Amino acid sequence: MTVKGADVDMVLNVLGGKGLYQHVQLLLMQLCSFSSDFQLLAMIFIGRIIPHKCSAPPNGTDITIPGVELSSSNYTVEYGQCNINIKYNSTANTSINTEHSLPCIYGMTYTDRKDASIVSQFDLVCERGALGDLPQTLLILGQAIGALVLPFFSDRYGRKPTNIISYVCVIGIGVGTAFSNSYITFAILRLLMGIVQQGMVLSLTTFSMEVYSTQYRRYVAVITTVVAGVSFVSMTPFGYFLRMESWRTQQLAFCSVSLYIVIEVIFLDESLRWLVANGKYDKALKNVKKAAKWNKVDVNVVVDKFNEMIEKQTPATSEAKDGHLLLNEGETKPVEKIEKYSLLDILKRRKLALNTVILWYLWCTASLSYFGLYFTSSSLVGDIYLNYFLNALMEFPSGIIFFLLVDRVGRKKTLAIFFAVCGIGMIIATIIKVTSDSYAASICVTIFSMVGKIGAGGAFGACFFYTPEIFPTNLRNVGLGSTSVAARVGGMLGPFSRLLAQHISWGPAAIFGGCCLLATILIIFLPETTGKELPQTMADVKLLYKKIPERLDSRNQGWTDKYK
């Protein structure tokens, strides 16, 4: 018999449910999101578009056109962004003006220093303009690869080691990116950054969901949203005050926040749920005793509850030797083998497979909607630092709304509300943008775009919060990783909405609105997880479809009927 999520919750409740130890552990893990977020969004600043135009001939020489005789008195030149436009009088008939266009054969001139951005550094403009967005697309592709591969290591070897190893790789690749001497090197490093960045994000998300007992999990979403919002907003002064420096200096500055890894290595403990689910009872007991001291709870009471939890699986204590548990009388008994699962095990089980497919769609839609709104909205124009700051601020209202709704109306209704808000906001903003270009209309577009961003941000946050509650412990990171892959597919499709809008103006709104509407319908088929323990085993997943007890015992802060 395997230890259940309810049993782990019993220990966490005795520890106080949400005591100092849990708060500190969650914050220690959450703060590493600064490093992942900074690298994820660095392209906004190091890849910004620098105003440019074609360069004039060097050393004051004249422009030459093959087969045409030009003199300083019979032609004029206009240096455009991507072409050199020449107007000249034909030598055969001076009354006829002829126009000729040349590419930027003498290079580019930028209004800022050459190394202010990778765009200017590697001349990613005009016919090479698509290459300027490619590194970010490669990073999203890398995230998909990382989300597919790295969760295995988190579920097999632990949340902490996976996070720290990914963290070290993020630092190394981030610093290496700053010294890229070619565009190809830069692009490859961005792909690798996406892979290891997902190792951090997924282990962080799973760890965070496992810190608290069931009834306090919504606090995870609030703390996650606040930390993410502060992380996004804090990039603004980095970008603004270093805007006159080279992109290499900015990239190194973004890497500086990764020095936090030293604190994480020293003070962060492994997830208690993972330790218990994988039979590492000695380490789990050590962390439980530490938590009891931090939370000022009677250690003996906590240890007794911990032993009670373990005894439901075996009458042994937590110590083991040579593959055997040491019994109280000194006898030994073989340690029960802990089951290991893969993504294939998810798809073999009908209910879990259905949940997973729906979650894939929800994640893809949330990502597609977010990036689609970003690329189709014309309301956020002007200073890139102000625009970025406004977008980052939208993380806070979505987090507040989530906190107020998630336990009151439930996970499923919260998801549906955010998807509906996102879809409606995008549709209305797009309709107004297409039908009117007045000043009043632009204000309305801005308002509804912000509403849509709140919905998109809330949908993402709700998906991150809800998804780990669906999968059992030894499949939690694998399941979350598979849904993250679906999100990357949506993220890569989102930018194409701008191209679609050029041919069918109502196309993006119809697609995004329809996708969000379908998402709200599919949510009906998912189980409600409000007030239920995180499933430890495959069997626990079936319990998600059963109604929870209505009586809440304030003495143990748990669902008492569940523990009887």
Side-chain angles (χ1 to χ4, degrees), residues 28-309:
L28 284 171
M29 179 60 87
Q30 284 291 327
L31 287 177
C32 75
S33 63
F34 276 75
S35 182
S36 62
D37 292 343
F38 274 40
Q39 296 304 321
L40 175 64
L41 302 178
M43 280 293 293
I44 294 177
F45 302 102
I46 68 174
R48 70 185 192 275
I49 302 298
I50 306 296
H52 59 88
K53 65 178 181 178
C54 296
S55 297
N59 302 322
T61 57
D62 293 330
I63 292 178
T64 59
I65 301 177
V68 178
E69 182 179 347
L70 298 176
S71 64
S72 58
S73 60
N74 74 339
Y75 77 93
T76 59
V77 181
E78 178 183 344
Y79 297 98
Q81 285 190 337
C82 299
N83 297 97
I84 301 176
N85 300 311
I86 306 169
K87 293 182 181 180
Y88 62 92
N89 295 325
S90 172
T91 55
N93 188 342
T94 57
S95 63
I96 298 177
N97 291 326
T98 304
E99 294 186 5
H100 193 88
S101 181
L102 295 174
C104 298
I105 56 178
Y106 304 108
M108 307 297 300
T109 299
Y110 297 92
T111 59
D112 208 334
R113 54 188 293 175
K114 177 70 173 177
D115 60 354
S117 164
I118 65 163
V119 171
S120 55
Q121 178 82 71
F122 303 121
D123 289 328
L124 307 178
V125 294
C126 300
E127 68 275 4
R128 287 167 53 87
L131 296 178
D133 296 324
L134 182 60
Q136 190 66 15
T137 301
L138 290 175
L139 184 140
I140 296 175
L141 176 61
Q143 288 181 316
I145 297 173
L148 194 61
V149 176
L150 296 182
F152 164 81
F153 297 96
S154 179
D155 285 334
R156 180 63 61 89
Y157 301 108
R159 317 314 190 198
K160 180 179 178 179
T162 302
N163 186 270
I164 289 177
I165 292 174
S166 300
Y167 207 142
V168 172
C169 292
V170 165
I171 296 172
I173 295 173
V175 173
T177 300
F179 295 96
S180 301
N181 55 8
S182 69
Y183 172 77
I184 294 178
T185 301
F186 182 89
I188 292 175
L189 289 176
R190 291 298 287 175
L191 174 66
L192 296 177
M193 177 63 77
I195 295 175
V196 297
Q197 189 262 359
Q198 276 299 281
M200 291 184 64
V201 172
L202 295 177
S203 58
L204 179 157
T205 302
T206 305
F207 180 96
S208 299
M209 290 303 299
E210 295 175 342
V211 169
Y212 295 120
S213 56
T214 300
Q215 64 268 32
Y216 298 116
R217 286 206 297 266
R218 66 172 178 165
Y219 290 94
V220 175
V222 176
I223 295 175
T224 299
T225 300
V226 171
V227 173
V230 173
S231 174
F232 294 151
V233 169
S234 62
M235 284 192 72
T236 307
F238 275 84
Y240 181 77
F241 291 111
L242 294 175
R243 67 189 185 282
M244 304 304 294
E245 303 295 330
S246 71
W247 69 268
R248 301 181 189 276
T249 301
Q250 294 180 59
Q251 173 64 16
L252 289 175
F254 292 145
C255 290
S256 65
V257 298
S258 297
L259 295 176
Y260 166 75
I261 188 175
V262 177
I263 297 176
E264 181 178 334
V265 170
I266 297 174
F267 297 105
L268 183 68
D269 294 333
E270 182 56 85
S271 164
L272 176 63
R273 293 184 188 273
W274 184 88
L275 291 174
V276 171
N278 288 272
K280 300 184 182 297
Y281 303 130
D282 53 344
K283 293 183 179 179
L285 181 59
K286 180 181 178 180
N287 290 349
V288 165
K289 291 180 178 179
K290 177 181 177 181
K293 293 179 180 178
W294 282 41
N295 293 353
K296 297 182 179 179
V297 176
D298 191 327
V299 175
N300 294 327
V301 174
V302 176
V303 171
D304 288 342
K305 184 62 67 174
F306 180 85
N307 289 335
E308 178 184 337
M309 173 186 69

Side-chain angles (χ1 to χ4, degrees), residues 329-361:
E329 293 79 9
E331 301 176 358
T332 63
K333 179 180 179 180
V335 177
E336 181 177 351
K337 184 178 180 181
I338 303 301
E339 292 183 282
K340 303 295 182 181
Y341 302 110
S342 65
L343 182 61
L344 185 61
D345 292 294
I346 295 178
L347 301 179
K348 286 180 179 178
R349 291 160 172 81
R350 184 174 61 85
K351 285 188 176 181
L352 194 55
L354 177 63
N355 294 343
T356 303
V357 172
I358 293 176
L359 287 171
W360 286 347
Y361 178 80

